[in-house]
Short mmCIF file of all heavy atoms in Angstrom, two decimals:
data_model
loop_
_atom_site.label_atom_id
_atom_site.label_comp_id
_atom_site.label_asym_id
_atom_site.label_seq_id
_atom_site.Cartn_x
_atom_site.Cartn_y
_atom_site.Cartn_z
N LYS A 381 123.74 103.62 75.92
CA LYS A 381 124.79 102.78 76.25
C LYS A 381 126.16 103.58 76.03
O LYS A 381 126.24 104.39 75.22
CB LYS A 381 124.90 101.58 75.21
CG LYS A 381 123.65 100.70 75.17
CD LYS A 381 123.75 99.67 74.09
CE LYS A 381 122.49 98.79 74.01
NZ LYS A 381 122.59 97.86 72.76
N PRO A 382 127.17 103.15 76.88
CA PRO A 382 127.01 102.08 77.97
C PRO A 382 126.45 102.79 79.19
O PRO A 382 126.49 103.95 79.39
CB PRO A 382 128.63 101.83 78.23
CG PRO A 382 129.28 103.11 77.82
CD PRO A 382 128.47 103.68 76.75
N PHE A 383 125.86 101.93 80.05
CA PHE A 383 125.26 102.26 81.17
C PHE A 383 125.48 101.28 82.34
O PHE A 383 125.88 100.19 82.11
CB PHE A 383 123.64 102.43 81.03
CG PHE A 383 123.02 101.28 80.46
CD1 PHE A 383 122.77 100.12 81.18
CD2 PHE A 383 122.72 101.22 79.05
CE1 PHE A 383 122.27 98.99 80.68
CE2 PHE A 383 122.13 100.10 78.46
CZ PHE A 383 121.83 98.99 79.27
N ALA A 384 125.30 101.81 83.53
CA ALA A 384 125.46 100.90 84.78
C ALA A 384 124.21 100.09 84.95
O ALA A 384 123.16 100.61 84.77
CB ALA A 384 125.75 101.72 85.97
N THR A 385 124.36 98.87 85.24
CA THR A 385 123.18 98.06 85.46
C THR A 385 122.32 98.58 86.55
O THR A 385 121.05 98.47 86.51
CB THR A 385 123.54 96.51 85.80
OG1 THR A 385 124.38 96.10 84.80
CG2 THR A 385 122.38 95.66 86.04
N GLU A 386 122.87 99.21 87.55
CA GLU A 386 122.11 99.72 88.75
C GLU A 386 121.20 100.87 88.29
O GLU A 386 120.00 100.92 88.70
CB GLU A 386 123.09 100.26 89.74
CG GLU A 386 123.85 99.19 90.57
CD GLU A 386 125.03 98.67 89.73
OE1 GLU A 386 125.28 99.25 88.67
OE2 GLU A 386 125.89 97.81 90.29
N GLU A 387 121.70 101.56 87.30
CA GLU A 387 120.86 102.72 86.80
C GLU A 387 119.67 102.16 85.96
O GLU A 387 118.57 102.65 86.08
CB GLU A 387 121.68 103.72 85.94
CG GLU A 387 120.88 104.82 85.34
CD GLU A 387 121.57 105.79 84.42
OE1 GLU A 387 122.78 105.50 84.23
OE2 GLU A 387 121.01 106.79 84.05
N LEU A 388 119.97 101.13 85.20
CA LEU A 388 118.92 100.47 84.46
C LEU A 388 117.85 99.95 85.39
O LEU A 388 116.62 100.16 85.05
CB LEU A 388 119.51 99.44 83.55
CG LEU A 388 118.38 98.51 82.84
CD1 LEU A 388 117.72 99.29 81.83
CD2 LEU A 388 119.12 97.21 82.19
N VAL A 389 118.27 99.26 86.39
CA VAL A 389 117.25 98.65 87.31
C VAL A 389 116.43 99.84 88.03
O VAL A 389 115.23 99.67 88.21
CB VAL A 389 117.97 97.77 88.26
CG1 VAL A 389 116.93 97.32 89.36
CG2 VAL A 389 118.51 96.57 87.66
N SER A 390 117.16 100.82 88.33
CA SER A 390 116.48 101.97 89.01
C SER A 390 115.40 102.63 88.08
O SER A 390 114.28 102.84 88.51
CB SER A 390 117.42 102.94 89.44
OG SER A 390 116.88 104.04 90.18
N ARG A 391 115.83 102.83 86.80
CA ARG A 391 114.83 103.49 85.85
C ARG A 391 113.78 102.47 85.61
O ARG A 391 112.62 102.97 85.46
CB ARG A 391 115.69 103.69 84.63
CG ARG A 391 116.60 104.99 84.63
CD ARG A 391 117.37 105.17 83.45
NE ARG A 391 118.23 106.27 83.47
CZ ARG A 391 117.95 107.55 82.87
NH1 ARG A 391 116.74 107.67 82.32
NH2 ARG A 391 118.82 108.56 82.96
N LEU A 392 114.00 101.20 85.52
CA LEU A 392 112.94 100.23 85.27
C LEU A 392 111.96 100.23 86.41
O LEU A 392 110.79 100.26 86.20
CB LEU A 392 113.65 98.89 85.13
CG LEU A 392 112.69 97.60 84.81
CD1 LEU A 392 112.00 97.90 83.54
CD2 LEU A 392 113.53 96.44 84.69
N ARG A 393 112.52 100.26 87.67
CA ARG A 393 111.48 100.25 88.83
C ARG A 393 110.73 101.72 88.85
O ARG A 393 109.56 101.55 89.17
CB ARG A 393 112.33 100.14 90.07
CG ARG A 393 112.86 98.87 90.36
CD ARG A 393 113.72 98.82 91.68
NE ARG A 393 114.23 97.47 91.99
CZ ARG A 393 115.24 97.27 92.72
NH1 ARG A 393 115.91 98.27 93.25
NH2 ARG A 393 115.60 95.96 92.93
N ALA A 394 111.31 102.78 88.34
CA ALA A 394 110.52 103.96 88.23
C ALA A 394 109.45 103.90 87.35
O ALA A 394 108.34 104.42 87.66
CB ALA A 394 111.52 105.13 87.92
N VAL A 395 109.73 103.38 86.16
CA VAL A 395 108.55 103.28 85.15
C VAL A 395 107.54 102.34 85.63
O VAL A 395 106.30 102.61 85.37
CB VAL A 395 109.10 102.98 83.76
CG1 VAL A 395 110.03 104.06 83.22
CG2 VAL A 395 109.76 101.60 83.64
N LEU A 396 107.92 101.21 86.26
CA LEU A 396 106.97 100.29 86.82
C LEU A 396 106.01 100.98 87.90
O LEU A 396 104.87 100.71 87.99
CB LEU A 396 107.54 99.05 87.30
CG LEU A 396 108.06 98.14 86.29
CD1 LEU A 396 109.02 97.13 86.87
CD2 LEU A 396 107.04 97.43 85.46
N ARG A 397 106.68 101.78 88.72
CA ARG A 397 105.95 102.49 89.75
C ARG A 397 104.88 103.47 89.11
O ARG A 397 103.73 103.47 89.63
CB ARG A 397 106.92 103.31 90.63
CG ARG A 397 107.58 102.61 91.73
CD ARG A 397 108.13 103.55 92.79
NE ARG A 397 108.96 104.61 92.28
CZ ARG A 397 110.28 104.55 92.14
NH1 ARG A 397 110.89 103.45 92.34
NH2 ARG A 397 110.92 105.58 91.68
N ARG A 398 105.31 104.25 88.14
CA ARG A 398 104.44 105.16 87.46
C ARG A 398 103.29 104.38 86.86
O ARG A 398 102.16 104.82 86.87
CB ARG A 398 105.24 105.90 86.45
CG ARG A 398 106.12 106.98 86.94
CD ARG A 398 106.52 107.98 85.96
NE ARG A 398 107.26 107.40 84.79
CZ ARG A 398 108.57 107.35 84.75
NH1 ARG A 398 109.33 107.61 85.84
NH2 ARG A 398 109.16 106.76 83.59
N CYS A 399 103.58 103.21 86.30
CA CYS A 399 102.47 102.42 85.70
C CYS A 399 101.48 101.95 86.68
O CYS A 399 100.30 101.84 86.44
CB CYS A 399 103.10 101.22 84.96
SG CYS A 399 101.97 100.22 84.08
N ALA A 400 101.97 101.64 87.92
CA ALA A 400 101.05 101.26 89.02
C ALA A 400 100.53 102.36 89.79
O ALA A 400 99.95 102.21 90.78
CB ALA A 400 101.83 100.24 89.86
N ALA A 401 100.81 103.60 89.37
CA ALA A 401 100.30 104.85 90.01
C ALA A 401 100.79 104.93 91.42
O ALA A 401 100.08 105.30 92.36
CB ALA A 401 98.83 104.99 90.04
N GLN A 402 102.09 104.53 91.70
CA GLN A 402 102.72 104.52 93.00
C GLN A 402 103.91 105.62 92.94
O GLN A 402 104.60 105.68 91.93
CB GLN A 402 103.23 103.28 93.42
CG GLN A 402 102.12 102.30 93.72
CD GLN A 402 101.15 102.54 94.95
OE1 GLN A 402 101.59 103.17 95.81
NE2 GLN A 402 99.90 102.20 94.88
N ALA A 403 104.03 106.35 94.11
CA ALA A 403 105.00 107.40 94.01
C ALA A 403 106.36 107.01 94.59
O ALA A 403 107.27 107.73 94.43
CB ALA A 403 104.49 108.59 94.98
N SER A 404 106.53 105.73 95.26
CA SER A 404 107.76 105.41 95.85
C SER A 404 107.89 103.94 95.77
O SER A 404 107.08 103.16 95.22
CB SER A 404 107.80 105.85 97.35
OG SER A 404 106.93 105.03 98.12
#
Side-chain angles (χ1 to χ4, degrees):
K381 301 173 184 176
F383 50 77
T385 303
E386 293 80 2
E387 182 180 4
L388 172 64
V389 172
S390 181
R391 287 174 178 263
L392 184 56
R393 287 175 176 160
V395 298
L396 288 167
R397 281 200 307 273
R398 291 197 295 270
C399 183
Q402 295 291 331
S404 74

